[in-house]
Amino acid sequence: MGFPPLKGYSKIKVQATAPLQEWGVEMTKKLMLIDANSLLYRAFFALPPLENSKGQPTGAVYGLINMLMKLLDQYQVDYAVAAFDLPGPTKRTEEYSLYKANRPPTPFELRSQMQIARDVLRAMGIECIELEGYEADDLVGTMAAKAAREGCFSWIVSGDRDILQVVGESTQVIMTQKGISETTVFDAAKVVEKYSITPSQIIDLKGLMGDSSDNIPGVPGVGEKTATKLITQYGSVAGVYENIDQLKGKLRENLETYKEQAFLSRRLAEIDTQAPLPLAWPPATLKRNDKELYRLFKELEFNTLLQRLSLADYSPVEVDTVSSPQLDEGLFAGPELAVMLLEGAMAVAYKDKPLLLVGEGYAAACQGLEDFLAQQGTIYTDDAKKIYRFALDRETDMQAEVHSCQLAAYLLKPGSNMEIPHLVRAWTELGVEKGETSEQEHLAAHVSLLPQLWQNLKKNLLDNAAWELYQDIELPLSRVLARMERTGIAVDIRELESIGAELEAKIDSLEERIYAAAGTEFNINSPKQLGEVLFDKLGIPPVRKTKTGYSTDAAVLEAIHDSHEVVPLVLEYRQLVKLQGTYIHGLQDLWDKETGRVYTNFNQLVTATGRLSSTEPNLQNIPVRMEEGRRIRRAFIPGGGYQWLLAADYSQIELRVLAHFSGDATLTDAFHKGQDIHRRTAAEIFGLALEDVTDSQRQAAKAVNFGLVYGQTDFGLAQSLGIARKEAASYIDAYFHRYPGVKEYMDQIVAQARKDGYVTTLFNRRRYLPEIGSRNFQRRSFAERTAINTPIQGTAADIIKLAMVEVEKRLDEAGLVSRMLLQVHDELVLETTSEELKRVAKLVVAAMEDIVQLHVPLRVDVKTGPNWYNMESMKD
């Protein structure tokens, strides 16, 4: 999918905000490290001479930037850092004065481009680093090692084979070839395939064979073939000399004569990965300064690159700020309007020019927008939910059609790190250079581009079969969410305080029990002090250490759960402290004294699967697996004029979607018969009659059912059930034997993802999987599990979104006062009256169950009660 360029608009990266960890697999940030000197040298000698009209040589910079633009488009990294050499001695020349002494001086034409390269790289958002006494590859190697320790994946771009020594699980090298026109990506397997040695052995290879380009002497008479054979056989330079007695003739003689030189050569070849980096971690996020880049490219006369980056004829957009209440009569008079609602201000496009309306001008503009919304017309905006909320706040009978550029772009590239040209997805996090303009002026500058941007996005929605998803699900949902956010949910503050007091008493009690079990008092909330108590004082074997001491994160504490009685107490203490801080104190801080309610934000543009998320406060994530967490729901009550909360929950919707996609006969049969699917699965796996299945067998089957929906492996299942991996594998084998259609679906969807590069839901919501063909096993496996899960979880998310729109529509048509308050993934929470309770229950169930026809029936369980905790199932 491509977006045609729009003049004068930046390419802004859409940052993924999906969860970093699913089923124990961490999604890392990505870093590109650039050996700038190596690449500039290669570009200089590979390309014909190029200079601008002022006589300034530019060819090396042009070659470097052209190559990096391609790589940045392809690899979609979060950070990029370029390392440069500085003139002068290095630690290698201090040890061996002839190091690189055979190299001719850098040509003037190349030297004159070094600072230009730095300027252009910085304008591209790439940090530049250099350090006296160290070479660029030392800085690159150190950054790669630092990134690996911080959980960040690195690609190193270089033309120097020496850098291959730092290749590892979290580091790959993009090696330039044929000058800079072609590249080869090296992971550890590729290094072995190409050179018959591991990455770390490249240092030893250079120790024996030397390197004529760097004037590293090596051992005379030992070339690459012999050196490779020796390192393959003995592992290292040290290994060769430990087994020198096994060698004969001239080879042994040379090795003995030049032993000191071999170890010297090895030291010279070894990249220092402990250099004192002149750069904080993490580096700055990759963000272009288009204004500066335009200036530099114009000066260098890189016209092709200007066009490629959609910077042709770029000029800063001037914003007129209007504070007068007297507005031009034509401002809100046309059939179309481009508008952005900002904090206490409004940006409007008028005669293709952005206006920022503030103060009395903003008040007048609000009235103008209200009048526009009440009539037939079309609005182009960044966030439709803001417009719907504006109309609700002013009780406007909205007639105008609204289109959201953010929403359209999200559907085209959900949860992706890939660039979406010409779109600012999160205006307040834009991050490009603003010059002397204010934040609001900077944001307002984009408003005049919205109509053209919308036409571009609409075309791509149509081309990608996503128009119905936008028009029928997501856009109507924005209106529903605006109303839900405005409604909020009532909270009994006294009940919340009571629950908080109970938690505080339990926390105090746990604190005393922890001190007694540990035999000392300490700050339980201090990881350092806790680590010292657990691993030094109590002698528990440590699991993992960090640079600041022992790790005491949740995974570590779970691993040592049975090592000492204090560990489960600490785990419980942490859970209660989190409940107290996040939900008791958090809800108290956000509780509105006038209305008695809290108001969450429903995020529609975040997750890659299409699920909604909730923030400030997060009401979708109240812990319900522990009693103390569930009891917090007691504080959520019907508001004034309402007597009941009603919760309608889809029953096992993801498994029903799996049955629909897979067409598996046994799974489909179970749902049509209304059987307990987990009991039926247990019966199938263990070869039992339904009535003979035990509770523990049903629990195991439940873990298998839900685990496989997420592509869980035997290892993951074994961990979740606390059983041997072999036993978990037998459960999975038995499952697939009894549900062959599910296995066939999983294999087919992964194959389809490899072919297309993406998967889709039932409603054509796409999720791109760029790492489905990765050579890295962990990254590829995660993409395969994602390919299995996304169509299932995403379709379930689409279904409940459709249901929310339908429930809202039916409540309005029926003239009921009952209203939706929350969506918690598969559950809707409403407040209703005693008079409307039964009618609303039937209405909600009908809307949710009939919204889409799958191969198996959808079922909804309804509960009601005086609060969100004390709820009972409703009977027909």
Side-chain angles (χ1 to χ4, degrees):
M1 180 187 67
F3 293 82
L6 294 174
K7 288 186 178 181
Y9 206 84
S10 310
K11 289 184 178 180
I12 305 300
K13 291 189 73 177
V14 174
Q15 299 297 331
T17 54
L20 293 178
Q21 199 167 358
E22 293 183 26
W23 296 97
V25 179
E26 187 174 357
M27 294 296 290
T28 59
K29 292 284 188 179
K30 300 170 188 175
L31 166 70
M32 183 169 287
L33 294 166
I34 301 153
D35 186 343
N37 277 75
S38 168
L39 298 179
L40 283 166
Y41 265 91
R42 280 184 168 264
F44 180 78
F45 290 105
L47 299 176
L50 181 68
E51 59 183 36
N52 65 6
S53 58
K54 297 179 181 179
Q56 168 63 53
T58 59
V61 174
Y62 181 85
L64 171 68
I65 301 307
N66 192 54
M67 179 187 68
L68 289 180
M69 283 168 56
K70 293 177 182 177
L71 292 176
L72 290 171
D73 282 344
Q74 180 178 355
Y75 287 90
Q76 303 299 326
V77 297
D78 301 282
Y79 320 110
V81 177
F84 285 79
D85 291 337
L86 284 176
T90 68
K91 61 178 187 175
R92 292 181 179 84
T93 58
E94 290 174 358
E95 182 172 12
Y96 183 60
S97 62
L98 296 179
Y99 175 72
K100 291 189 176 181
N102 58 332
R103 289 193 176 185
T106 303
F108 168 80
E109 293 82 0
L110 177 56
R111 287 204 314 273
S112 69
Q113 297 182 64
M114 290 296 184
Q115 186 56 48
I116 295 173
R118 290 178 174 89
D119 293 341
V120 175
L121 288 169
R122 290 188 177 108
M124 292 175 67
I126 300 172
E127 296 205 48
C128 298
I129 57 173
E130 52 200 23
L131 187 63
E132 286 187 9
Y134 292 87
E135 297 178 60
D137 52 8
D138 293 322
L139 302 182
V140 165
T142 301
M143 280 292 293
K146 173 69 173 175
R149 292 194 297 272
E150 298 292 339
C152 180
F153 190 88
S154 301
W155 283 288
I156 298 173
V157 189
S158 178
D160 188 346
R161 190 174 74 168
D162 289 357
I163 201 68
L164 294 175
Q165 66 187 261
V166 304
V167 166
E169 183 177 342
S170 299
T171 308
Q172 294 179 4
V173 169
I174 302 169
M175 186 67 64
T176 59
Q177 297 176 340
K178 292 187 178 181
I180 57 171
S181 61
E182 296 181 8
T183 59
T184 300
V185 179
F186 283 87
D187 59 7
K190 183 68 175 179
V191 173
V192 173
E193 176 190 335
K194 178 76 173 177
Y195 299 109
S196 302
I197 55 174
T198 65
S200 62
Q201 290 176 324
I202 287 177
I203 311 167
D204 298 281
L205 182 75
K206 292 292 183 76
L208 297 180
M209 65 175 281
D211 187 341
S212 59
S213 65
D214 290 340
N215 207 35
I216 297 176
V219 176
V222 177
E224 183 171 355
K225 184 176 180 180
T226 301
T228 300
K229 181 179 179 181
L230 290 171
I231 297 303
T232 301
Q233 186 170 0
Y234 300 113
S236 64
V237 171
V240 169
Y241 283 99
E242 288 170 2
N243 295 279
I244 195 75
D245 292 340
Q246 298 181 22
L247 303 177
K248 299 178 181 179
K250 188 66 174 177
L251 174 60
R252 175 174 174 175
E253 180 183 335
N254 284 348
L255 286 168
E256 289 177 331
T257 302
Y258 296 99
K259 177 178 180 179
E260 184 177 342
Q261 189 165 291
F263 281 98
L264 167 67
S265 298
R266 188 189 185 283
R267 291 195 300 275
L268 294 174
E270 184 174 10
I271 290 173
D272 186 351
T273 60
Q274 300 295 323
L277 282 174
L279 182 68
W281 183 267
T285 303
L286 189 63
K287 295 173 182 174
R288 278 198 347 231
N289 181 345
D290 280 1
K291 183 177 180 181
E292 178 65 8
L293 206 54
Y294 176 82
R295 184 188 69 79
L296 288 167
F297 281 5
K298 288 292 278 188
E299 186 177 301
L300 296 168
E301 298 172 9
F302 290 170
N303 296 324
T304 302
L305 298 185
L306 280 169
Q307 294 175 1
R308 180 174 169 184
L309 289 179
S310 304
L311 294 175
D313 300 324
Y314 175 88
S315 59
V317 178
E318 293 185 2
V319 178
D320 283 348
T321 301
V322 179
S323 58
S324 169
Q326 302 302 318
L327 304 179
D328 192 307
E329 291 183 359
L331 186 57
F332 293 96
E336 295 183 344
L337 179 68
V339 61
M340 289 167 48
L341 294 177
L342 308 174
E343 187 66 34
M346 185 187 303
V348 178
Y350 184 51
K351 297 180 180 179
D352 295 326
K353 188 172 184 178
L355 302 179
L356 178 63
L357 300 134
V358 299
E360 293 183 355
Y362 171 59
C366 286
Q367 184 58 55
L369 178 58
E370 182 180 341
D371 294 341
F372 187 93
L373 292 174
Q375 61 190 10
Q376 297 293 325
T378 303
I379 286 183
Y380 306 108
T381 190
D382 58 328
D383 186 353
K385 190 169 66 172
K386 289 182 180 178
I387 301 295
Y388 291 130
R389 179 64 184 269
F390 177 93
L392 286 169
D393 288 343
R394 291 178 167 256
E395 299 182 351
T396 302
D397 182 15
M398 188 166 169
Q399 299 299 315
E401 182 181 21
V402 179
H403 285 298
S404 168
C405 291
Q406 285 189 358
L407 191 54
Y410 162 73
L411 296 179
L412 292 168
K413 293 287 182 183
S416 170
N417 238 8
M418 302 177 72
E419 284 190 348
I420 299 181
H422 326 306
L423 177 73
V424 180
R425 179 172 172 220
W427 304 98
T428 57
E429 298 176 359
L430 185 59
V432 294
E433 293 294 325
K434 300 194 296 291
E436 297 179 357
T437 62
S438 69
E439 184 72 27
Q440 287 187 333
E441 288 174 327
H442 180 57
L443 300 179
H446 301 87
V447 70
S448 57
L449 298 165
L450 289 174
Q452 187 181 356
L453 173 58
W454 166 249
Q455 296 304 323
N456 181 35
L457 292 167
K458 180 179 179 180
K459 179 181 182 300
N460 282 279
L461 287 172
L462 291 167
D463 290 345
N464 286 271
W467 175 251
E468 287 77 13
L469 176 64
Y470 168 84
Q471 183 75 6
D472 299 337
I473 300 179
E474 293 292 353
L475 188 62
L477 181 69
S478 292
R479 195 167 188 167
V480 173
L481 295 178
R483 182 174 292 182
M484 291 169 64
E485 288 182 355
R486 185 173 184 268
T487 301
I489 185 169
V491 171
D492 184 339
I493 198 67
R494 287 174 295 183
E495 181 66 27
L496 192 66
E497 290 169 349
S498 174
I499 297 170
E502 293 174 18
L503 279 177
E504 192 67 41
K506 287 190 175 184
I507 290 170
D508 291 343
S509 174
L510 275 172
E511 197 172 73
E512 295 302 321
R513 292 169 64 191
I514 289 169
Y515 294 156
T520 185
E521 291 191 10
F522 62 100
N523 184 354
I524 305 169
N525 297 309
S526 165
K528 184 175 185 297
Q529 292 187 34
L530 177 61
E532 291 170 352
V533 169
L534 294 178
F535 305 117
D536 291 337
K537 183 178 185 303
L538 299 179
I540 300 172
V543 176
R544 185 171 68 250
K545 292 194 74 173
T546 68
K547 58 186 178 182
T548 58
Y550 298 110
S551 173
T552 58
D553 62 20
V556 168
L557 295 185
E558 288 292 349
I560 62 172
H561 184 278
D562 298 326
S563 299
H564 193 279
E565 62 177 318
V566 76
V567 180
L569 295 176
V570 171
L571 280 168
E572 185 179 359
Y573 173 88
R574 282 186 174 178
Q575 289 176 326
L576 297 187
V577 167
K578 182 177 180 180
L579 285 176
Q580 182 79 297
T582 303
Y583 294 103
I584 302 300
H585 296 156
L587 289 171
Q588 287 173 334
D589 290 342
L590 294 170
W591 183 70
D592 189 305
K593 294 180 181 179
E594 292 186 9
T595 65
R597 304 175 84 91
V598 294
Y599 303 88
T600 188
N601 298 302
F602 289 104
N603 304 310
Q604 198 175 357
L605 310 175
V606 172
T607 68
T609 58
R611 290 181 113 184
L612 294 176
S613 64
S614 163
T615 54
E616 297 182 275
N618 181 352
L619 297 182
Q620 292 184 325
N621 205 33
I622 297 174
V624 293
R625 292 188 177 181
M626 54 188 304
E627 175 60 20
E628 290 83 359
R630 285 194 299 274
R631 288 176 62 217
I632 291 174
R633 288 190 169 191
R634 272 198 334 224
F636 293 89
I637 60 173
Y642 296 85
Q643 293 80 47
W644 300 95
L645 289 185
L646 182 147
D649 188 6
Y650 274 119
S651 172
Q652 300 161 346
I653 188 170
E654 291 186 357
L655 293 177
R656 293 173 190 271
V657 172
L658 174 61
H660 176 83
F661 277 129
S662 68
D664 183 87
T666 305
L667 197 59
T668 301
D669 179 68
F671 282 122
H672 276 294
K673 290 180 176 176
Q675 293 175 334
D676 179 334
I677 189 62
H678 303 313
R679 192 167 296 278
R680 174 69 181 264
T681 297
E684 298 289 346
I685 290 177
F686 299 110
L688 301 170
L690 280 172
E691 59 271 17
D692 294 332
V693 171
T694 65
D695 289 342
S696 63
Q697 289 170 329
R698 182 187 182 278
Q699 191 64 28
K702 182 177 181 180
V704 174
N705 274 330
F706 286 119
L708 293 180
V709 167
Y710 286 85
Q712 195 176 35
T713 63
D714 54 0
F715 177 76
L717 181 62
Q719 284 193 317
S720 66
L721 289 177
I723 59 176
R725 188 170 180 176
K726 185 176 181 180
E727 185 178 0
S730 70
Y731 287 177
I732 293 176
D733 289 343
Y735 181 95
F736 285 139
H737 178 70
R738 300 302 300 170
Y739 298 105
V742 174
K743 175 62 173 171
E744 184 179 346
Y745 159 75
M746 291 180 174
D747 293 341
Q748 178 271 326
I749 199 67
V750 170
Q752 191 68 35
R754 289 199 185 100
K755 176 177 177 291
D756 297 336
Y758 62 85
V759 290
T760 64
T761 69
L762 187 63
F763 300 91
N764 286 325
R765 183 187 301 276
R766 287 189 185 184
R767 181 172 184 179
Y768 290 88
L769 301 168
E771 295 178 337
I772 192 73
S774 172
R775 298 178 66 176
N776 180 285
F777 173 78
Q778 188 179 49
R779 299 166 77 84
R780 184 178 68 252
S781 297
F782 177 82
E784 290 172 353
R785 289 194 292 275
T786 302
I788 293 169
N789 167 249
T790 293
I792 299 168
Q793 190 179 93
T795 296
D798 291 341
I799 289 173
I800 197 163
K801 285 180 174 181
L802 269 173
M804 292 170 71
V805 174
E806 183 65 17
V807 168
E808 181 87 349
K809 176 185 173 185
R810 295 191 185 191
L811 288 172
D812 285 346
E813 289 176 346
L816 300 174
V817 298
S818 301
R819 52 191 182 175
M820 274 189 292
L821 307 178
L822 299 175
Q823 187 250 55
V824 184
H825 305 314
D826 303 333
E827 177 185 29
L828 297 182
V829 179
L830 298 84
E831 61 183 358
T832 185
T833 65
S834 297
E835 293 78 13
E836 294 182 357
L837 177 60
K838 291 184 179 180
R839 185 180 177 188
V840 167
K842 290 180 180 179
L843 180 152
V844 171
V845 169
M848 293 177 70
E849 291 187 346
D850 299 341
I851 195 62
V852 64
Q853 297 300 311
L854 301 180
H855 296 154
V856 296
L858 291 174
R859 290 290 177 262
V860 174
D861 298 325
V862 178
K863 293 182 178 180
T864 187
N867 57 60
W868 199 11
Y869 176 80
N870 299 110
M871 304 191 90
E872 296 181 357
S873 296
M874 288 190 67
K875 306 301 181 182
D876 292 338

